[in-house]
Amino acid sequence: MAQNTPDTAQNPHVSAELAQLLRTGPFHLALRSALTARGLALTRVQHKLAQRGITIGVTSLSYWQQGARRPQRPESLRAVRALEDVLGLPDRSLHRLLVPEGGARPETERPPGRSYRSLVAPADCLQQLFAELETPADGGVHTVGHHERVRIGARRELSERESLQVVRAHRDGVDRYVAIHRGDPGCDPSRVRVRATENCRLGRVRGDAANGVIVAELLFDTRLRAGDTHVFGYAFEDGSGGPSAEYVRGFSFAGGQYVLQVRFDDAALPVRCYRFTQASAGAPRAGRQELTLSGRHHAVHVVEQGVRPGILGIAWDWG
């Protein structure tokens, strides 16, 4: 069945870019584009909504356009309908991105993905650790942004990895995330320290000494509803393993941006570094690309704008 889309062809306030966003979403980018097109400050928008009997804070409007919050309650959805009038948009053009007719909200659907078993080795070890935490493999969130920094120490060891992550819930009631760390050969999980650094607190931690794997429960201070986003940070302090030669990240879901930076100690510099991809843990490596070590900071990085299910990593040779 064809879905009704807003008629934007004759609307002077709707550019080609905005028209596309009104057709496909996501909501926050469509709203931000509409605000830019009209040139209205949020305080002015708030005033115009008040004239229409809608009371809403500037902070809420800002969160909506940033994607940090989604209007879902009835009063919020009424405000969205009024926003369409204020911004000169077709009727229901923003509203349908949140509650389309006859279907689930597109932004809250579980994105395409694959089982973690194809991305990690050994998968059985990880499955057992997840079972101990009574956590399903799909924790109810998918990543929309992840900035990860890895430090390699003077002994060529993986010293620390720190993450700032943005997730979106694809079901209601999510209040935690389980982070996975796999150390290099010789890693001792009992010596690995996990830190919750931002917008979360540390819950249960489990490790498998034979495989050098640790899983850590990061608890949010709120329960996310489907479509809500959450920003949180955490770190694994390791240093217990032998010489490190690569860092890899597996992605169960498609979409989102990933930034990986690896920084080397002055006393342990590799002779070459390169990025690579893998379709699965046992697949051959592809997409090899040489990376240049930065001068003063001795770091390399990769930026992936729209990740695909699979594995992305940086490897290096010590010479």
Side-chain angles (χ1 to χ4, degrees):
M1 180 184 296
Q3 184 175 340
N4 293 329
T5 56
D7 183 7
T8 59
Q10 305 300 321
N11 193 316
H13 300 306
V14 179
S15 65
E17 178 186 8
L18 176 54
Q20 177 67 24
L21 287 170
L22 291 175
R23 285 193 294 271
T24 63
F27 168 81
H28 72 282
L29 291 184
L31 174 58
R32 188 188 308 169
S33 180
L35 288 166
T36 300
R38 289 287 281 148
L40 289 176
L42 294 183
T43 52
R44 185 65 178 158
V45 173
Q46 181 191 40
H47 176 70
K48 287 180 172 291
L49 289 173
Q51 291 177 328
R52 291 163 171 80
I54 301 293
T55 302
I56 187 169
V58 170
T59 300
S60 293
L61 292 171
S62 178
Y63 282 163
W64 289 359
Q65 70 162 341
Q66 293 172 31
R69 292 286 186 273
R70 278 172 57 92
Q72 291 184 313
R73 297 176 180 176
E75 59 270 25
S76 297
L77 294 175
R78 285 194 295 271
V80 170
R81 298 296 304 277
L83 266 174
E84 295 165 352
D85 183 38
V86 169
L87 298 174
L89 299 176
D91 186 47
R92 300 187 66 85
S93 57
L94 288 174
H95 187 269
R96 61 172 290 278
L97 296 175
L98 300 165
V99 191
E101 296 178 4
R105 293 170 294 187
E107 289 179 88
T108 64
E109 292 177 351
R110 183 180 184 271
R114 64 171 60 168
S115 167
Y116 72 89
R117 295 184 63 85
S118 67
L119 304 175
V120 296
D124 290 341
C125 154
L126 196 58
Q127 185 177 27
Q128 176 60 37
L129 293 175
F130 270 61
E132 290 181 23
L133 295 180
E134 300 177 334
T135 299
D138 175 11
V141 297
H142 53 276
T143 299
V144 296
H146 191 170
H147 189 170
E148 191 161 33
R149 295 184 297 181
V150 174
R151 270 198 310 121
I152 304 300
R155 296 183 294 101
R156 300 182 175 181
E157 82 283 7
L158 194 162
S159 175
E160 182 182 38
R161 49 167 285 233
E162 186 175 8
S163 287
L164 182 65
Q165 197 162 346
V166 186
V167 296
R168 186 186 300 278
H170 48 256
R171 59 176 171 81
D172 291 335
V174 178
D175 64 354
R176 68 198 61 201
Y177 178 84
V178 176
I180 304 167
H181 175 73
R182 186 179 185 193
D184 289 303
C187 171
D188 180 356
S190 68
R191 294 171 56 195
V192 176
R193 181 187 173 211
V194 189
R195 292 186 289 115
T197 60
E198 189 166 350
N199 296 327
C200 64
R201 51 193 170 85
L202 186 61
R204 294 169 294 175
V205 178
R206 297 289 185 271
D208 183 301
N211 295 288
V213 176
I214 301 97
V215 295
E217 193 177 47
L218 301 166
L219 306 175
F220 307 152
D221 290 330
T222 183
R223 285 187 178 272
L224 304 181
R225 293 176 296 180
D228 284 350
T229 54
H230 190 68
V231 180
F232 62 104
Y234 56 94
F236 289 87
E237 297 178 4
D238 193 343
S240 66
S244 181
E246 65 183 26
Y247 184 81
V248 300
R249 165 66 60 178
F251 298 93
S252 296
F253 298 113
Q257 183 193 70
Y258 177 62
V259 180
L260 169 61
Q261 176 183 273
V262 180
R263 183 171 180 173
F264 298 88
D265 189 274
D266 293 353
L269 300 180
V271 296
R272 68 183 60 86
C273 302
Y274 55 92
R275 77 184 293 278
F276 65 90
T277 59
Q278 284 179 275
S280 63
R285 292 185 172 180
R288 176 170 169 148
Q289 179 183 348
E290 295 288 333
L291 301 173
T292 302
L293 200 67
S294 66
R296 194 172 81 176
H297 299 293
H298 309 311
V300 290
H301 74 275
V302 295
V303 179
E304 198 76 6
Q305 294 291 355
V307 301
R308 299 177 180 179
I311 294 169
L312 173 65
I314 295 178
W316 50 90
D317 298 326
W318 291 115

